[in-house]
């Protein structure tokens, strides 16, 4: 997949303009707070995911502007396609090839993008929510219907939580609860199974890269950690049944807190090196190498699933890596369209053959 053109208007601090990226490396450089990440974020939104910075839609509209318009021409599925996102007055208008889409989720899988920023470097160390976000966003790009499964699951959890709070006052709601729990178990089981399926593939792919980066010294293992044994999860019907039972068992305790204590919204990825949990025992270097391997594996899995290379965004991440890890990363992501943001021209010049974009105060200039 290749981005041919990106136009923007009223987007964050970016002045109205457009860029025509190179098919290989694109280096976006400039001082701090000039708009480099804003540019990468604008590209990322076409993956159909939410901002990798955790921003709200209203944050995208430039101060004092009515709306933000992003428009992209990209090459995918053997043809040039176009997508547009307009943010205005708390709403989003999304078009794909001129046709209005009901939501930005509909862009998922059209333009697959892998983003890597310094925040991702602490993915291993941080709480489970970040790792769930990582896996969900990765699965969504190769299985676009996963996003609907996930939203329905989240809706059902919210529904059960509301019922948990009402049950003490309305015992007649117990029957309703049975029905909701059955539905919750079906969707929860689907989420778990899709995440496990992805984790297994991620594990074998990332293990290879980690082996390379650690020069054969370390074995990386990634597994999905949830309330059910893995063998059970491979049998959909058995998983749903056991899930329902567990929900019924935990109902009383959950009523005290008013929240559902069990399910994919509480699950995690377990990441180990040579058998030890990296989160607790890994050095910072090992943790970073793990993330690097996982991110490169994420890109490789997109290629495997879609038979197209994803676009890679490296937001200010190179300066955070030592030279060996930098080499490794650049080497493994070569042959894809890459956007690299950095502060100094010096590091930009090192990346030969690329196109340079200089960013100053929201103005983007090809140099
Ligand atoms: N909605 C917005 N409207 C106008 N400016 C914004 C908006 N959101 C962020 N900015 C500005 O964008 C700049 C940060 O841009 P960013 O892309 O993060 O910088 P960097 O070049 O360091 O990556 C800041 O100056 C910030 O004030
Ligand atoms: Mg930045």
């Amino acid at each position: 997949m290749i981005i041919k053109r990106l136009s923007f208007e009223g987007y964050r601090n970016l002045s109205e303009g457009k860029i025509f990226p190179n098919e290989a490396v694109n280096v976006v450089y400039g001082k701090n707070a000039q708009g480099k990440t804003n540019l990468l974020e604008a590209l990322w939104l076409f993956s159909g995911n939410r901002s990798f910075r955790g921003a709200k839609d209203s944050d995208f509209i430039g101060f004092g502007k009515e709306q933000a318009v992003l428009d992209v021409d990209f090459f995918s599925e053997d043809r040039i396609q176009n997508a547009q996102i307009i943010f205005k007055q708390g709403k989003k208008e999304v078009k794909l090839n001129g046709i209005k889409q009901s939501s930005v989720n509909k862009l998922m899988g059209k333009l697959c993008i892998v983003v890597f920023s310094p925040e991702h470097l602490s993915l291993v160390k941080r709480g489970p929510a970040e790792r769930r976000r990582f896996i969900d966003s990765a699965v969504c790009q190769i299985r676009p219907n996963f996003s609907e499964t996930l939203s329905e699951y989240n809706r059902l959890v919210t529904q059960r939580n509301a019922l948990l709070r009402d049950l003490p006052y309305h015992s007649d709601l117990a029957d309703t609860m049975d029905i909701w729990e059955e539905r919750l178990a079906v969707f929860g089981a689907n989420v778990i199974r899709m995440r496990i399926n992805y984790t297994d593939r991620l594990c074998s792919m990332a293990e290879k890269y980690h082996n390379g980066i650690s020069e054969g010294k370390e074995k990386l293992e990634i597994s999905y950690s949830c309330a059910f044994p893995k063998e059970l999860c491979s049998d959909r019907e058995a998983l749903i049944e056991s899930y329902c039972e567990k929900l019924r068992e935990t109902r009383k305790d959950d009523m005290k807190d008013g929240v559902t204590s069990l399910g994919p919204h509480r699950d995690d990825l377990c990441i180990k090196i040579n058998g030890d949990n990296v989160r607790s025992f890994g050095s910072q270097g090992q943790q970073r190498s793990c993330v690097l391997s996982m991110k490169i594996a994420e890109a490789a899995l997109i290629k495997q699933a879609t038979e197209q290379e994803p676009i890679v965004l490296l937001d200010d991440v190179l300066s955070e890596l030592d030279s060996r890890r930098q080499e490794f990363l650049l080497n493994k992501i070569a042959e894809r369209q890459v956007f690299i943001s950095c502060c100094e021209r010096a590091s930009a010049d090192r990346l030969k053959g690329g196109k340079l974009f200089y960013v100053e105060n929201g103005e983007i200039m090809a140099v």
Side-chain angles (χ1 to χ4, degrees):
M1 299 172 186
I2 306 280
I3 291 172
K4 294 287 199 182
R5 172 191 57 88
L6 170 76
S7 304
F8 34 85
E9 194 190 322
Y11 187 80
R12 291 212 190 247
N13 76 329
L14 300 185
S15 320
E16 181 182 347
K18 56 181 129 177
I19 58 163
F20 296 91
N22 185 321
E23 300 206 346
V25 180
N26 296 278
V27 177
V28 179
Y29 75 102
K31 297 204 182 76
N32 269 327
Q34 301 303 308
K36 303 181 297 294
T37 303
N38 293 345
L39 178 65
L40 266 50
E41 178 187 51
L43 293 170
W44 167 252
L45 293 176
F46 287 99
S47 72
N49 281 284
R50 299 163 65 148
S51 167
F52 57 82
R53 298 167 143 180
K56 302 185 297 292
D57 287 353
S58 56
D59 299 338
F60 302 141
I61 303 176
F63 303 146
K65 300 275 163 62
E66 292 264 299
Q67 57 175 26
V69 183
L70 297 173
D71 190 292
V72 73
D73 286 336
F74 61 101
F75 187 82
S76 174
E77 301 163 302
D78 297 320
R79 63 201 163 106
I80 295 282
Q81 307 196 46
N82 172 270
Q84 190 182 62
I85 311 178
I86 301 179
F87 300 93
K88 69 171 169 199
Q89 292 159 353
K91 281 193 296 204
K92 261 177 294 210
E93 283 172 22
V94 183
K95 277 186 190 166
L96 180 64
N97 300 320
I99 298 166
K100 210 169 162 189
Q101 307 291 312
S102 55
S103 92
V104 74
N105 289 355
K106 299 286 181 217
L107 296 179
M108 271 170 184
K110 299 292 167 194
L111 193 53
C112 296
I113 307 180
V114 172
V115 64
F116 194 1
S117 76
E119 271 162 40
H120 292 111
L121 281 172
S122 51
L123 181 70
V124 169
K125 217 171 44 193
R126 296 165 86 175
E130 266 81 19
R131 284 181 293 280
R132 287 193 296 267
R133 205 167 303 136
F134 162 76
I135 188 169
D136 290 340
S137 140
V139 178
C140 279
Q141 295 202 58
I142 52 179
R143 302 276 299 269
N145 58 3
F146 181 65
S147 122
E148 276 151 39
T149 306
L150 202 59
S151 328
E152 179 62 7
Y153 170 75
N154 289 327
R155 197 182 69 83
L156 290 164
V157 171
T158 311
Q159 187 69 39
R160 181 174 185 266
N161 292 349
L163 274 172
L164 286 169
R165 288 177 217 129
D166 288 347
L167 257 177
Y169 313 102
H170 306 277
S171 54
D172 55 315
L173 285 175
D175 290 345
T176 316
M177 187 60 131
D178 287 341
I179 297 167
W180 282 105
E181 284 183 352
E182 268 164 43
R183 204 171 152 74
L184 182 62
V186 170
F187 278 84
N190 286 348
V191 172
I192 291 176
R193 284 165 52 80
M194 285 169 98
R195 283 189 186 161
I196 289 180
N197 179 295
Y198 185 81
T199 309
D200 287 348
R201 286 185 290 150
L202 182 76
C203 177
S204 51
M205 196 64 93
E207 184 193 338
K208 271 197 300 197
Y209 294 123
H210 197 85
N211 186 60
I213 198 170
S214 68
E215 288 157 335
K217 291 194 210 87
E218 297 177 357
K219 184 171 165 60
L220 172 67
E221 277 171 277
I222 308 169
S223 57
Y224 188 71
S225 129
C226 69
F228 306 96
K230 194 171 174 190
E231 309 77 65
L232 180 77
C233 297
S234 60
D235 180 341
R236 184 169 177 270
E237 297 310 316
L239 174 60
I240 294 174
E241 195 177 314
S242 164
Y243 201 133
C244 277
E245 261 167 44
K246 281 216 169 168
L247 283 174
R248 238 168 280 137
E249 277 167 27
T250 51
R251 198 188 285 176
K252 241 201 176 120
D253 280 340
D254 285 357
M255 270 162 67
K256 285 188 209 127
D257 307 326
V259 289
T260 300
S261 58
L262 169 106
H265 63 291
R266 294 286 173 95
D267 293 350
D268 198 358
L269 286 180
C270 175
I271 304 168
K272 288 182 177 172
I273 287 182
N274 296 341
D276 290 325
N277 199 319
V278 193
R279 190 178 179 200
S280 338
F281 300 108
S283 67
Q284 195 200 42
Q286 283 175 322
Q287 292 178 342
R288 292 182 157 208
S289 294
C290 279
V291 180
L292 205 58
S293 308
M294 285 162 73
K295 279 278 154 190
I296 301 169
E298 183 189 352
L301 289 177
I302 289 179
K303 162 77 180 170
Q304 206 176 62
T306 64
E307 293 177 6
Q308 301 189 84
E309 294 288 3
I311 289 149
V312 177
L313 309 177
L314 304 180
D315 187 23
D316 239 339
V317 81
L318 286 185
S319 59
E320 299 280 328
L321 297 170
D322 59 27
S323 55
R324 202 168 57 87
R325 291 189 178 91
Q326 281 189 24
E327 283 311 313
F328 189 81
L329 173 64
L330 293 173
N331 194 342
K332 295 295 178 207
I333 54 158
E335 289 166 37
R336 299 187 176 108
Q337 190 181 33
V338 189
F339 294 81
I340 299 172
S341 73
C342 52
C343 283
E344 297 122 41
R345 167 125 197 192
S347 38
D349 285 343
R350 218 167 43 97
L351 301 154
K352 290 184 209 80
K355 192 162 178 174
L356 284 178
F357 295 94
Y358 176 65
V359 184
E360 190 178 323
N361 197 15
E363 200 86 46
I364 302 173
M365 290 155 270
V367 287

